[in-house]
Amino acid sequence: MAAEKAEPGYNVPLDLLYTKNHEWVRVEDGTIVVGITDFAQNQLGDITYVELPEEGEAFAKEKVFGTVDSLKTVAELFAPVGGEVLEVNSDLPNNAEHVNEDPYNKGWMVKLELEDDKQLEELLPAAEYLKMISKLAKKK
């Protein structure tokens, strides 16, 4: 998985799509895999718990589908696209540290059945997301 490094060194895989809320999307055979970005997990700090929806639940684009608890705060997770939850990462509630350690693989959160392909066009490609987080990192 090729990746770019943003200032100051966040991992941004080039083959994923991103939201302004720092979720990532990977398209796998018509299924959408969703998680939070390396930038997001870094900003949250040590993640202690992840609350995810049930399989079969449906969410509209940008609706809250779960939360991530860290030592610093509780952050809401927003659906990057609308769709039905096909699978949740059942490993996360007991191993929330996977989100910090490997946000793009072991730290994935849900798999959705995409309800509208056009919603993917509204997501940010890696280069745009990289610019966005580089600006955010410079503000700190």
Side-chain angles (χ1 to χ4, degrees), residues 54-125:
E54 297 289 323
E55 290 178 13
E57 284 188 60
F59 294 90
K61 181 180 182 197
E62 298 180 355
K63 294 298 179 191
V64 174
F65 73 86
T67 59
V68 175
D69 296 20
S70 73
L71 296 177
K72 293 181 183 179
T73 190
V74 175
E76 293 180 324
L77 300 168
F78 297 93
V81 296
E84 180 181 328
V85 178
L86 299 174
E87 185 179 346
V88 297
N89 186 343
S90 58
D91 199 33
L92 285 186
N94 296 321
N95 297 287
E97 69 276 3
H98 288 329
V99 178
N100 289 119
E101 296 165 359
D102 193 6
Y104 300 110
N105 293 299
K106 286 183 179 179
W108 69 273
M109 296 182 175
V110 295
K111 293 184 181 180
L112 301 173
E113 181 177 30
L114 180 63
E115 68 183 24
D116 183 358
D117 286 352
K118 289 184 179 162
Q119 290 182 355
L120 292 174
E121 295 169 11
E122 299 168 21
L123 299 174
L124 302 173

Side-chain angles (χ1 to χ4, degrees), residues 33-54:
V33 184
V34 179
I36 64 169
T37 66
D38 185 42
F39 179 83
Q41 71 79 22
N42 184 279
Q43 298 300 303
L44 289 168
D46 290 337
I47 294 173
T48 57
Y49 185 73
V50 179
E51 182 180 337
L52 298 172
E54 297 289 323

